Amino acid sequence: QVQLQQWGAGLLRPSETLSLTCAVYGGSLSGYYWSWIRQPPGKGLEWIGEISHSGSTNYKPSLKSRVIMSVDPSKNQFSLKLTSVTAADTAVYYCAGSTAGRVYCSSSSCLFDFWGQGALATVSS
Amino acid sequence: EIVLTQSPGTLSLSPGERATLSCRASQRVSGSYLAWYQQKPGQAPRLLIYGAYRRATGVPDRFSGSGSGTDFTLTISRLEPEDFAVYHCQQYGSSPATFGGGTKVEIK
């Protein structure tokens, strides 16, 4: 069974870059889509974007100008960078995986069948 | 993007009671690509339902999903103590994937 372990984030100052990495255990990067999702304190979930094992990306339009996702097949890891953070970016950030295929994905998007443990990013001056 | 509105925000019920949670979409969710997740404090969400009514592996049959188009429902037939949590709906019929604001099921 695929498991995700993530690290990074913490306390950031406004305008800094948030960095997170997620390691995949029990499976390879191929055959899945890899996403980042965040949850501000006491609020709902927000999908940030996804990356495939080959490095193809799809970002939420409202965040696209600040998001960089990458994948490292040699380490079985994928990463998120969010630039120019503000207090509005304070949230728990989750990495998540979607099994590719028609069961869990439409032609446009996917659900998320496994998740990392989450990491809190706090943006404060 | 499709906006999902969940109601009620909080549901106060006793163990053994039936819970009915609603998720309404601002546009038709194509292919009924609607999922439900359960989230407990300090934990990541857990997939419960996909394709509007299909239970994920290991999910008890007291959880059921229904609906199509713009109106979807998650029903918990008889609440067990471990079912008190926050429930999120998510549509994956169009990009970007979007989530509802969540419904908290709390012990009355």
Side-chain angles (χ1 to χ4, degrees):
Chain A
Q1 181 172 346
V2 177
Q3 294 188 332
L4 304 180
Q5 185 168 4
Q6 61 182 103
W7 62 91
L11 179 62
L12 298 102
R13 304 298 184 196
S15 79
E16 291 185 335
T17 295
L18 180 158
S19 295
L20 289 159
T21 299
C22 188
V24 179
Y25 298 99
S28 71
L29 292 174
S30 63
Y32 302 93
Y33 295 100
W34 305 103
S35 286
W36 291 95
I37 295 161
R38 68 182 181 179
Q39 185 173 33
K43 295 188 178 180
L45 298 157
E46 179 183 27
W47 177 77
I48 298 168
E50 69 181 11
I51 189 166
S52 71
H53 71 280
S54 63
S56 297
T57 56
N58 180 25
Y59 301 146
K60 182 174 183 176
S62 60
L63 296 170
K64 189 174 183 178
S65 63
R66 298 194 293 128
V67 172
I68 303 168
M69 292 185 184
S70 60
V71 63
D72 186 342
S74 68
K75 295 182 178 178
N76 231 29
Q77 295 174 359
F78 60 102
S79 297
L80 167 72
K81 290 188 186 300
L82 181 65
T83 64
S84 303
V85 297
T86 69
D89 295 311
T90 293
V92 174
Y93 286 74
Y94 295 98
C95 57
S98 308
T99 303
R102 295 181 62 185
V103 175
Y104 287 165
C105 297
S106 69
S107 59
S108 306
S109 192
C110 297
L111 56 75
F112 311 102
D113 48 323
F114 45 93
W115 299 65
Q117 78 276 22
L120 177 62
T122 302
V123 181
S124 175
S125 56
Chain B
E1 69 182 50
I2 294 179
V3 176
L4 299 179
T5 301
Q6 291 187 242
S7 61
T10 302
L11 199 51
S12 298
L13 295 168
S14 301
E17 289 194 296
R18 182 185 188 90
T20 303
L21 288 66
S22 173
C23 177
R24 179 162 291 176
S26 61
Q27 308 169 41
R28 177 182 165 273
V29 177
S30 66
S32 291
Y33 288 112
L34 193 287
W36 290 91
Y37 301 84
Q38 177 192 67
Q39 186 178 29
K40 296 181 180 180
Q43 297 184 18
R46 167 200 174 200
L47 178 65
L48 294 177
I49 300 287
Y50 64 97
Y53 64 89
R54 294 177 171 87
R55 275 187 298 275
T57 303
V59 175
D61 61 7
R62 63 180 180 273
F63 291 91
S64 63
S66 63
S68 63
T70 61
D71 289 304
F72 299 87
T73 300
L74 174 69
T75 302
I76 311 170
S77 59
R78 290 179 56 86
L79 283 164
E80 297 288 340
E82 61 267 28
D83 299 337
F84 291 92
V86 176
Y87 292 84
H88 305 273
C89 59
Q90 179 227 337
Q91 68 79 24
Y92 53 105
S94 63
S95 185
T98 52
F99 294 86
T103 290
K104 180 179 182 180
V105 179
E106 66 176 21
I107 299 176
K108 185 175 182 179

